[in-house]
Amino acid sequence: MNYEKYFEETINTIKNEGRYRVFIDILRNVQNFPNATKYNDKNEVIENVTVWCSNDYLGMGQNTNVINAMKKALDTCGAGSGGTRNISGTTHYHVLLEKELADLHDKESALLFTSGYISNEATLSTLASTLPNCYVFSDELNHSSMIQGIRASGAKKVIFKHNDVEDLQKKIKELDKDTPKIIAFESVYSMDGDIAPIENIAEIAKNYNALTYLDEVHAVGMYGNRGGGISQELGISNHIDIIEGTLAKAYGVMGGYITGNKYLVDTVRSFASGFIFTTSIPPTIAAGAIESVKHLKFSSTERLKHKEAVKELKQKLVDTDIPIIKNNSHIIPILVGDPDLCKKASDLLLKEYNIYVQPINYPTVPRGTERLRVTPTPLHNTEMINYFIDSIKKVWSNLKLNKKKV
């Protein structure tokens, strides 16, 4: 077999389908976010751009206190953690961070992972394989990390229709109440920005004796009076068995975690390969996360400014007849519906208007629903929003894209 030819043809197929991923080379400008410097493939600075697709939702990656905490940790104990959590990689910063996270969600215990992806994959694979004859009920739009974790567990998987509590109840009631069950779902779904009926799912879990596993990665820091996510905003965190989150989005650094009952969390800590056999996050990252989580527990300023920016941009897009997928979250999906045109729209915004928003194509979203996923922050002001609206109107006209309601 000609391996090189095979892989070349594989890449060419992706390119021909208009879904080849191009990574934009940027450097964020500290204390000047959402502005960034763009580089070409020769490592040359070519222009300054405004980032409109960052998951640093609240700009906490630019927060002075977070940065200073990281600098102090670097000066205190150096760059890396030095090992796995079991072998010298549990620094005092890791311990303090886990206590902050448990407190954030009002849970007994928390466990820190290297990423949100790993926390989902490792936890679901461990729990579902540890529980005898376990069934996992998974929302059909769950993140890849959750799907991989369920698959790796070897447990029986039952997929229910997206956010459909009737379908979930219909399927879960077929099992004996004593059969171990996990309902795995997300609070905010990152591509459409819709929000799960968490209260209804929690009630079904209670009625049918199932554990609830809630992925709050796109909600922690953003919602709730202390940033504990949608479940905290609804006042039902105590009805959710496992709350999973990330430090890489609203908290502005990196890492993932779970919170829950101390024995459940300890079981994951004791059996999860994705936790046991990997080097822990650097103490500098843990220190920054501690400061970020603490800050957003008491400060609502960032959340309020963020909501204002999201509301303003959504309304102006609607007024301009640019087709957005409507939702109640902070994520603004602008629908294009074609992979080539989606890439062209992104390229034009960057080249002509210095606006960086990444195209989202298959397999991240279904074919025919390609989109620009826009995420304004508290640092996107009215002037920036107006410029974005004027620019996208011109791109829509240039490419003759449809203006329709979604």
Side-chain angles (χ1 to χ4, degrees):
M1 183 178 188
N2 187 328
Y3 293 106
E4 184 173 353
K5 183 179 180 181
Y6 171 81
F7 292 121
E8 181 183 6
E9 289 174 351
T10 298
I11 294 300
N12 286 336
T13 298
I14 297 173
K15 288 181 176 179
N16 291 336
E17 291 177 359
R19 58 186 185 94
Y20 180 71
R21 298 171 189 256
V22 177
F23 298 156
I24 306 301
D25 184 356
I26 64 170
L27 272 183
R28 304 202 307 171
N29 299 332
V30 68
Q31 302 310 323
N32 199 26
F33 185 75
N35 295 314
T37 303
K38 183 177 180 295
Y39 289 76
N40 62 18
D41 55 9
K42 297 178 181 177
N43 293 322
E44 299 169 334
V45 175
I46 57 172
E47 60 194 353
N48 292 315
V49 300
T50 304
V51 180
W52 281 91
C53 56
S54 175
N55 281 342
D56 186 359
Y57 294 136
L58 298 178
M60 290 301 292
Q62 307 287 300
N63 182 278
T64 302
N65 292 338
V66 172
I67 293 171
N68 288 340
M70 296 178 75
K71 288 178 178 177
K72 182 179 178 181
L74 185 65
D75 290 337
T76 300
C77 55
S81 67
T84 65
R85 288 292 299 274
N86 186 51
I87 305 175
S88 82
T90 296
T91 72
H92 192 52
Y93 289 107
H94 295 83
V95 174
L96 292 177
L97 177 54
E98 287 176 338
K99 289 181 179 178
E100 284 292 337
L101 294 169
D103 174 74
L104 172 65
H105 296 288
D106 197 24
K107 298 294 184 186
E108 289 183 327
S109 188
L111 190 65
L112 187 61
F113 295 83
T114 52
S115 73
Y117 189 105
I118 297 300
S119 58
N120 271 335
E121 184 180 49
T123 302
L124 283 168
S125 64
T126 301
L127 291 180
S129 62
T130 302
L131 290 166
N133 194 34
C134 181
Y135 282 74
V136 182
F137 291 81
S138 176
D139 187 288
E140 65 178 340
L141 293 189
N142 275 343
H143 191 266
S144 172
S145 56
M146 301 173 78
I147 295 169
Q148 291 297 330
I150 297 165
R151 182 178 296 152
S153 74
K156 300 172 184 67
K157 179 173 68 174
V158 180
I159 298 173
F160 63 92
K161 295 176 184 176
H162 178 53
N163 283 347
D164 190 330
V165 292
E166 290 183 6
D167 189 50
L168 171 60
Q169 181 163 330
K170 176 184 175 182
K171 290 173 175 174
I172 201 169
K173 72 179 183 180
E174 294 178 359
L175 296 180
D176 188 284
K177 277 196 174 183
D178 289 333
T179 299
K181 296 174 282 291
I182 300 171
I183 303 174
F185 62 111
E186 302 179 37
S187 59
V188 178
Y189 286 82
S190 64
M191 288 300 120
D192 285 357
D194 54 334
I195 297 173
I198 302 174
E199 293 171 293
N200 294 335
I201 293 175
E203 184 66 23
I204 289 173
K206 179 181 178 181
N207 292 339
Y208 293 93
N209 192 26
L211 288 173
T212 43
Y213 182 97
L214 178 60
D215 177 325
E216 288 257 38
V217 296
H218 291 278
V220 290
M222 310 286 293
Y223 302 90
N225 63 319
R226 302 169 76 229
I230 299 292
S231 57
Q232 185 176 89
E233 187 161 288
L234 295 173
I236 58 168
S237 298
N238 60 322
H239 295 162
I240 304 298
D241 297 295
I242 309 108
I243 295 177
E244 184 264 353
T246 186
L247 303 167
K249 294 180 171 60
Y251 291 118
V253 284
M254 68 172 292
Y257 65 89
I258 60 166
T259 63
N261 171 278
K262 61 182 179 180
Y263 295 114
L264 184 152
V265 172
D266 203 11
T267 297
V268 176
R269 185 190 70 87
S270 300
F271 290 97
S273 296
F275 172 79
I276 295 169
F277 298 108
T278 190
T279 300
S280 61
I281 63 171
T284 51
I285 299 295
I290 292 168
E291 191 63 37
S292 187
V293 172
K294 278 185 176 179
H295 178 86
L296 290 175
K297 280 181 181 178
F298 299 102
S299 173
S300 295
T301 302
E302 293 80 6
R303 286 189 284 273
L304 291 173
K305 286 183 178 179
H306 179 259
K307 287 178 180 178
E308 290 171 2
V310 170
K311 182 180 179 181
E312 182 179 357
L313 180 58
K314 279 185 176 180
Q315 188 58 56
K316 287 179 177 178
L317 285 167
V318 169
D319 293 343
T320 313
D321 287 332
I322 298 295
I324 66 171
I325 298 175
K326 294 182 179 179
N327 58 54
N328 293 320
S329 77
H330 59 284
I331 295 166
I332 307 177
I334 300 177
L335 193 65
V336 179
D338 177 274
D340 290 321
L341 290 174
C342 194
K343 179 67 167 61
K344 287 178 180 177
S346 173
D347 289 345
L348 271 176
L349 284 168
L350 187 60
K351 182 178 179 181
E352 300 294 332
Y353 305 102
N354 294 335
I355 289 173
Y356 173 35
V357 54
Q358 192 74 9
I360 307 294
N361 292 336
Y362 177 84
T364 305
V365 295
R367 297 181 194 274
T369 68
E370 292 81 6
R371 68 200 62 179
L372 302 175
R373 179 182 177 275
V374 182
T375 52
T377 73
L379 303 173
H380 287 85
N381 57 35
T382 295
E383 182 181 351
M384 292 175 178
I385 290 172
N386 288 338
Y387 180 73
F388 180 90
I389 293 293
D390 290 341
S391 302
I392 204 163
K393 281 169 60 179
K394 292 171 184 174
V395 168
W396 239 247
S397 176
N398 186 317
L399 296 177
K400 297 180 172 56
L401 295 173
N402 290 328
K403 288 188 174 183
K404 59 184 179 181
K405 304 297 182 184
V406 179

